[in-house]
Amino acid sequence: MKETKLKLRQTVTWEPREEAAVEPFALAELPPRPPPSRLYEEPYSASVQVLEEYLPQLRGIIECLAHDEIALKSEPQFSWRTTLSANIFNTSPRLSISGLQADLAFSLLTYAFAMSNLARSTVLSLGRYEFDKAITDSERKAKDDQLNIAVDFLCRASGIYSYLADTVIPLWESQIKGGSIGFEQPPELCREVNNALAKMALADAQTLAIRKYLSKAAFDSNIAPGPPLPSSHPSPSLIAKMHLECATLYSSARSTVKTVGTRKRPSSTPESTGEVSADLRKYLADQTALYSALAHKWLGVEAGEKGGTKRGGDAVGFMAWAKKELQELRDGRISMKLARSGDKDIKDHLKQKIVDELESVDVFHKYYKKVNDSLHFQPIPTQADLQAKIPAGIMAIAAKSYLPRPPAFGPGSVAHIQAQTEALALDGDKSWTPLADTLSPAVVVQEGIYLFKNGVDPYSGGVFRHSPLYLSLFTTILPVTGATSSVLWTLSDALGAWALVRIGNSRQRISNSKRDTLVAAMYFWNPYIFLPSLAQSTSSFENTLMLLSLMFASQGRASITLLSFAFLVHLSLSSIVILTPLLLLLLLDPVSRLASPKPLSSLGVNFSRLVPFLGEFTLYLGTFTLLSAFTSGGWSWITQTWGASLSLPDLTPNTGLWWYFFTEMFDHFRSFFLMAFSMHLLIYIAPVCIKFQYDPLYAAFLLIGIVGTFKAYPTLSDPDLRHPTVTALLHLHAALLMPLFNQLWLNQGTGNANFYYASTLVFACSNGAALLDCIWAGLRISIGEEKEGYAIAQE
């Protein structure tokens, strides 16, 4: 390791490299061109590909430096060209900036620029297809799909700009405090500029979304232009709100970039280099004016088409306002020196777009004015009155958050995480799927703990699906290592055995019994208990919590019962099925009255106590939920933990009935059957609790068996405690076949899924048979002994 480290210290150097200037603009409307070749997109797609390969390498170096795995002989210098500065770098077009974070910032900025330009080239290849009278409906829809791709590029670019402003640049600023004297911060490394670019990219994406939304209407307008609009036309109100949001985003971005270089910066923050490029500011100003005018146009259309007599004046007023704004743009406000290319075609096309829109507004204005003068006779509101009637904008799309790819090497990389996981004492080989389901093996917990310790979202890998409280527990109070893990699982089983003994004694109203040791030993040596513990499955903890909750309820200790059960539900959502018999057990006692039932009121049961019990349970569950949100830093853990039991994201083979069924399921049926399977568990609560209301402990036992049979991710530790001869043989049959077929299918590849699923069906049948035996035993107690000459009939 020392030799490798020394070698890295000697060879980690960087040479300045040339970077092509990339234009940071993507337009919604571009001039018509002939059918393009791939040459429009290839330069930018190549840049995107190169950057996607380079960024993980750069992050690998940064992570290695952060964890002292490599060291630098000197601070690396990087040469970058600024594209956003107004004037200060005109004589010196390249910058020499030190620090890996600065290189990361410029690389991400170039990545976002390339995304924007890739969107621009995609739109450029389409031309103004919606105005082509010869285009077919299928061709138009295909080009609409291309617009969707361009929207996706711009939304991704917006997310990258936001990531730069919120994460990368603040880190870079904290590293250069007290740095070289006289250093001037380029606009690209200003948070305000990147926030403005994020808004601009999002506004550009919204303009494309509007264009796609109106493509069918634009095509139809070739045949019948002007008012009145057909009934199939998209809502003018919605179109107006979307244009208003574009204008708001452009205006906000323009206001932000205008402050850069003019405001006083704190002394601890590097000085800015000056104003942002006039081209960018002019682009934002013109786009603000254009989309504000278009919003007023569509508000006028909304008033004229949907407003009736009362809004006839509003229609004329909004149209006159839009006409005035478009005339101002036409008469000289558009200069549009876009980027550094001076694309004359784009400038001319935008002017033509304004002329076209002005003609359209003039047609609508004349029509609505004629209608108002001859039919409605409404006064024309002033511009101030119209301003008060303008609604808030609405977004049709959203920025896509940038998630950095894992480092190509070093801490945080896939290879590094795998190496660390293999080195852990709790090795994945200990967890065989039927012993520990896909959500509960210890190796999964270890992976989550490792990611959590290293500042990586433990749910990002799609493997760890436990509560965040497990992370807090196993990283602070009970650190899981090779020396402590066996002790921890053994203590959990010992606590469960003790709770089972106490439940039995409470049911018989005795303090102890000669059979206590036998009961504990049977629990310990039950293969469905010790095998999952041997595999170190977290389901062992859930079993212990269940037994503790029943023990406390049997003893009438309400608060600690509800606390432990709330913790259990937080860890395993399917356990909520047991809440009803648990509450009945708190109201009654664990003694069975099936043989001599009496009205519950005569036994002192007060159902009004259920309300405070439910309130206390909700309070405890809410507290655990808030603690989990605080631990994980948000609410995304809910969909990865509780949601996993409902949406079944992992179809790894296990002992349950769900995985094979949903493997063969068509996607469009999946939601319905997920709902059906999830609700299936709930239908048993009422009949079991009503039939066994005089023995709530027995009702809880039956529901535990039902949950263990039908839940999404069962394990062998989900208990069924009564095994008559046939049921025992079924369990033995399944216990022999499941490991055999698992080995043949998943390891040797000589079997298939049908063999293994058949063995899980046998296992489910054995659980069902045990449940039926237990239900029959409870009913026989309530019915009494069968007498000669009588037959047992169910009421």
Side-chain angles (χ1 to χ4, degrees):
M1 178 62 72
K2 290 183 178 180
E3 292 179 358
T4 304
K5 190 172 182 179
L6 181 59
K7 183 177 180 181
L8 286 171
R9 292 187 181 202
Q10 293 173 345
T11 58
V12 174
T13 57
W14 289 267
E15 294 293 335
R17 61 184 185 276
E18 292 291 330
E19 297 290 342
V22 185
E23 301 171 7
F25 304 106
L27 301 180
E29 300 280 351
L30 292 164
R33 297 287 176 92
S37 67
R38 294 289 299 174
L39 294 177
Y40 284 119
E41 299 181 10
E42 284 179 357
Y44 301 123
S45 60
S47 299
V48 169
Q49 183 177 358
V50 168
L51 286 163
E52 287 179 345
E53 294 173 356
Y54 173 70
L55 287 169
Q57 303 288 337
L58 179 58
R59 288 199 67 227
I61 296 173
I62 293 174
E63 292 298 324
C64 287
L65 284 171
H67 290 81
D68 295 325
E69 293 194 5
I70 63 173
L72 299 175
K73 296 175 64 175
S74 61
E75 192 71 18
Q77 299 290 320
F78 300 93
S79 179
W80 283 93
R81 187 187 305 278
T82 179
T83 60
L84 299 178
S85 175
N87 49 36
I88 197 165
F89 293 112
N90 286 350
T91 57
S92 177
R94 300 195 67 84
L95 288 175
S96 181
I97 301 180
S98 62
L100 291 170
Q101 290 296 332
D103 187 52
L104 177 61
F106 269 103
S107 298
L108 286 171
L109 193 69
T110 305
Y111 187 33
F113 284 173
M115 285 282 186
S116 298
N117 286 331
L118 192 54
R120 171 182 171 175
S121 64
T122 301
V123 176
L124 183 65
S125 68
L126 300 177
R128 299 183 67 186
Y129 67 91
E130 62 268 46
F131 299 104
D132 184 0
K133 295 182 180 180
I135 194 171
T136 65
D137 191 57
S138 59
E139 290 174 339
R140 182 184 57 79
K141 289 181 179 179
K143 291 182 180 290
D144 284 348
D145 292 338
Q146 289 297 308
L147 274 184
N148 276 339
I149 294 174
V151 169
D152 181 73
F153 285 142
L154 288 169
C155 291
R156 290 169 62 187
S158 179
I160 296 171
Y161 291 131
S162 297
Y163 178 75
L164 275 165
D166 298 337
T167 305
V168 179
I169 293 177
L171 183 59
W172 173 75
E173 288 179 343
S174 67
Q175 291 179 352
I176 64 170
K177 285 182 179 178
S180 58
I181 300 175
F183 172 74
E184 295 179 325
Q185 184 174 354
E188 286 85 349
L189 295 183
C190 292
R191 302 185 210 180
E192 298 86 354
V193 172
N194 281 277
N195 279 323
L197 291 175
K199 294 175 182 178
M200 184 188 75
L202 198 57
D204 288 340
Q206 174 104 330
T207 62
L208 292 181
I210 296 172
R211 178 179 174 183
K212 177 182 178 296
Y213 185 54
L214 290 175
S215 68
K216 180 66 167 62
F219 176 77
D220 293 339
S221 68
N222 292 328
I223 303 172
L229 298 179
S231 59
S232 60
H233 193 281
S235 167
S237 175
L238 179 59
I239 299 170
K241 291 177 181 179
M242 293 166 68
H243 280 96
L244 282 169
E245 189 65 22
C246 290
T248 301
L249 288 171
Y250 284 127
S251 177
S252 177
R254 179 171 178 264
S255 300
T256 303
V257 298
K258 283 177 65 178
T259 63
V260 176
T262 60
R263 66 180 178 84
K264 279 232 167 202
R265 300 179 66 88
S267 57
S268 61
T269 306
E271 292 295 325
S272 175
T273 59
E275 293 184 353
V276 175
S277 166
D279 295 338
L280 176 58
R281 289 183 279 118
K282 182 62 177 174
Y283 172 79
L284 294 172
D286 289 335
Q287 292 296 94
T288 301
L290 175 60
Y291 283 93
S292 178
L294 294 179
H296 297 153
K297 168 194 169 181
W298 286 104
L299 286 172
V301 173
E302 166 68 15
E305 300 291 327
K306 309 286 186 179
T309 302
K310 294 183 179 180
R311 299 203 61 196
D314 291 351
V316 178
F318 274 119
M319 283 300 171
W321 190 2
K323 183 176 180 179
K324 176 185 175 183
E325 291 175 315
L326 289 170
Q327 285 174 339
E328 291 177 355
L329 286 170
R330 182 197 61 185
D331 294 340
R333 288 195 55 188
I334 292 293
S335 60
M336 300 299 292
K337 297 177 182 178
L338 290 176
R340 300 178 188 269
S341 63
D343 193 333
K344 186 175 182 299
D345 289 339
I346 296 178
K347 175 182 173 181
D348 292 341
H349 174 70
L350 287 175
K351 286 186 176 181
Q352 185 60 47
K353 175 180 172 60
I354 292 173
V355 172
D356 293 342
E357 289 291 348
L358 192 55
E359 292 177 356
S360 173
V361 168
D362 190 54
V363 171
F364 278 97
H365 179 255
K366 288 179 179 179
Y367 177 82
Y368 294 143
K369 188 174 187 304
K370 181 180 178 180
V371 171
N372 188 58
D373 292 343
S374 59
L375 292 177
H376 301 326
F377 306 107
Q378 296 296 316
I380 310 302
T382 64
Q383 189 169 310
D385 293 335
L386 292 173
Q387 183 68 46
K389 298 180 180 181
I390 295 178
I394 188 171
M395 283 299 301
I397 43 89
K400 294 192 174 182
S401 300
Y402 174 69
L403 298 176
R405 302 178 81 181
F409 55 88
S413 66
V414 174
H416 187 267
I417 292 174
Q418 289 176 346
Q420 291 292 322
T421 303
E422 291 172 0
L424 293 171
L426 290 177
D427 192 89
D429 293 338
K430 294 181 180 180
S431 297
W432 175 60
T433 296
L435 300 182
D437 68 58
T438 55
L439 303 186
S440 64
V443 67
V444 172
V445 179
Q446 290 288 356
E447 178 176 336
I449 292 172
Y450 177 79
L451 294 175
F452 182 70
K453 286 182 176 179
N454 286 273
V456 180
D457 182 7
Y459 301 104
S460 60
V463 175
F464 180 79
R465 299 189 182 278
H466 289 285
S467 165
L469 295 184
Y470 268 126
L471 299 175
S472 298
L473 182 68
F474 290 145
T475 55
T476 55
I477 302 175
L478 297 171
V480 179
T481 64
T484 63
S485 59
S486 299
V487 175
L488 182 61
W489 263 266
T490 302
L491 288 176
S492 174
D493 283 348
L495 190 59
W498 172 74
L500 183 62
V501 169
R502 300 300 300 168
I503 292 171
N505 291 339
S506 298
R507 189 172 178 82
Q508 300 176 65
R509 293 180 176 176
I510 57 176
S511 58
N512 54 68
S513 170
K514 296 180 180 179
R515 296 184 298 176
D516 290 351
T517 303
L518 177 62
V519 172
M522 291 179 64
Y523 181 85
F524 266 120
W525 294 108
N526 183 344
Y528 292 157
I529 298 297
F530 78 78
L531 287 178
S533 295
L534 191 64
Q536 295 179 341
S537 166
T538 54
S539 59
S540 298
F541 300 141
E542 296 165 10
N543 281 343
T544 299
L545 280 172
M546 177 65 76
L547 289 170
L548 286 174
S549 299
L550 292 174
M551 181 192 75
F552 293 134
S554 300
Q555 297 172 350
R557 302 165 65 181
S559 293
I560 194 169
T561 297
L562 297 172
L563 177 64
S564 58
F565 188 70
F567 190 38
L568 172 62
V569 172
H570 178 78
L571 298 180
S572 178
L573 187 62
S574 58
S575 302
I576 194 70
V577 174
I578 317 298
L579 177 60
T580 302
L582 194 74
L583 293 176
L584 291 175
L585 188 57
L586 285 174
L587 295 178
L588 200 55
D589 56 50
V591 178
S592 176
R593 293 177 175 81
L594 291 175
S596 55
K598 297 179 181 179
L600 294 179
S601 57
S602 66
L603 299 175
V605 175
N606 184 6
F607 286 101
S608 62
R609 296 172 60 197
L610 287 175
V611 176
F613 285 166
L614 286 172
E616 188 174 355
F617 171 76
T618 304
L619 176 63
Y620 291 145
L621 185 59
T623 302
F624 289 131
T625 304
L626 291 175
L627 288 175
S628 296
F630 176 77
T631 301
S632 63
W635 301 96
S636 60
W637 63 271
I638 293 180
T639 57
Q640 299 294 330
T641 54
W642 295 347
S645 299
L646 302 175
S647 60
L648 205 74
D650 193 337
L651 295 177
T652 302
N654 55 65
T655 60
L657 301 174
W658 291 41
W659 66 271
Y660 187 84
F661 188 84
F662 284 95
T663 299
E664 303 295 329
M665 175 70 62
F666 289 110
D667 288 341
H668 55 278
F669 293 124
R670 180 179 174 87
S671 299
F672 171 77
F673 280 100
L674 278 174
M675 182 272 295
F677 273 51
S678 299
M679 296 298 295
H680 175 249
L681 277 175
L682 302 180
I683 67 175
Y684 295 99
I685 298 175
V688 170
C689 291
I690 292 173
K691 192 64 183 176
F692 294 95
Q693 57 183 302
Y694 300 106
D695 193 351
L697 183 61
Y698 199 73
F701 161 70
L702 293 176
L703 287 175
I704 289 172
I706 291 171
V707 171
T709 302
F710 295 114
K711 75 177 186 178
Y713 293 104
T715 67
L716 290 187
S717 62
D718 294 308
D720 281 315
L721 303 179
R722 176 180 172 85
H723 304 293
T725 303
V726 175
T727 304
L729 291 176
L730 284 174
H731 272 276
L732 179 62
H733 181 75
L736 294 175
L737 288 183
M738 278 195 295
L740 175 61
F741 288 153
N742 182 276
Q743 175 71 18
L744 290 175
W745 175 34
L746 297 180
N747 294 334
Q748 297 185 11
T750 56
N752 60 46
N754 295 323
F755 296 160
Y756 180 70
Y757 189 61
S759 63
T760 63
L761 287 176
V762 173
F763 183 65
C765 289
S766 64
N767 289 339
L771 280 170
L772 291 176
D773 288 338
C774 295
I775 292 173
W776 177 246
L779 292 176
R780 286 297 301 269
I781 293 175
S782 62
I783 294 171
E785 293 293 331
E786 185 177 353
K787 297 181 180 179
E788 185 176 356
Y790 290 89
I792 297 175
Q794 179 65 41
E795 293 183 359

